[in-house]
Amino acid sequence: QVQLVESGGGSVQAGGSLRLSCVNSGFTYSSNVMGWFRQAPGKERESVAAIYTSDGSTYYADSVKGRFTISLDGAKNTVSLQMNTLKPQDTAMYYCAAESILWIGLPRPNEYQYWGRGTQVTVSS
């Protein structure tokens, strides 16, 4: 059974940094893509970043470009999201996601096959 478990969320002041991690277990093969999406209260889910395991290509939402960095570990079963220069509007539940029919571009949240339970990120002004 596939499981994605996120960690690293928390509360930080605007301008601060957090690093989210996600361990992916249960795959019998490497997922073709891993990524993160978020959902703030009362808002729709929003894709944040994705990385394709075949070539390491990365994609970001415009709202986080230049501030967030997604990366894979050597075994490709852990994906991290380094978040710098955080803003109050980054406050949301962040979900790790894996496996998509896409092989290029930033998948929408509903284009992932698996996702975790989420980790809360709160940025205060």
Side-chain angles (χ1 to χ4, degrees):
Q1 183 178 354
V2 172
Q3 272 195 318
L4 300 171
V5 180
E6 304 96 337
S7 62
S11 297
V12 66
Q13 289 194 326
S17 298
L18 283 173
R19 185 176 181 87
L20 306 183
S21 293
C22 171
V23 177
N24 149 9
S25 63
F27 277 101
T28 57
Y29 55 91
S30 292
S31 173
N32 72 317
V33 61
M34 295 190 73
W36 296 87
F37 64 86
R38 66 188 180 186
Q39 187 167 27
K43 295 190 176 181
E44 292 187 356
R45 296 180 302 174
E46 175 192 21
S47 283
V48 174
I51 183 166
Y52 287 83
T53 59
S54 59
D55 62 1
S57 56
T58 58
Y59 297 87
Y60 297 94
D62 287 343
S63 57
V64 306
K65 275 181 186 174
R67 301 188 298 121
F68 290 12
T69 303
I70 190 170
S71 60
L72 284 171
D73 77 353
K76 297 183 180 178
N77 72 335
T78 300
V79 62
S80 297
L81 186 68
Q82 178 66 42
M83 306 186 294
N84 298 327
T85 320
L86 283 161
K87 304 175 181 180
Q89 52 263 47
D90 294 318
T91 295
M93 186 72 79
Y94 283 71
Y95 298 88
C96 173
E99 195 71 12
S100 174
I101 59 172
L102 299 186
W103 287 86
I104 190 170
L106 184 63
R108 298 187 182 95
N110 63 359
E111 291 177 325
Y112 286 105
Q113 188 170 357
Y114 305 102
W115 54 89
R117 293 188 173 185
T119 185
Q120 178 68 37
V121 171
T122 302
V123 185
S124 58
S125 57

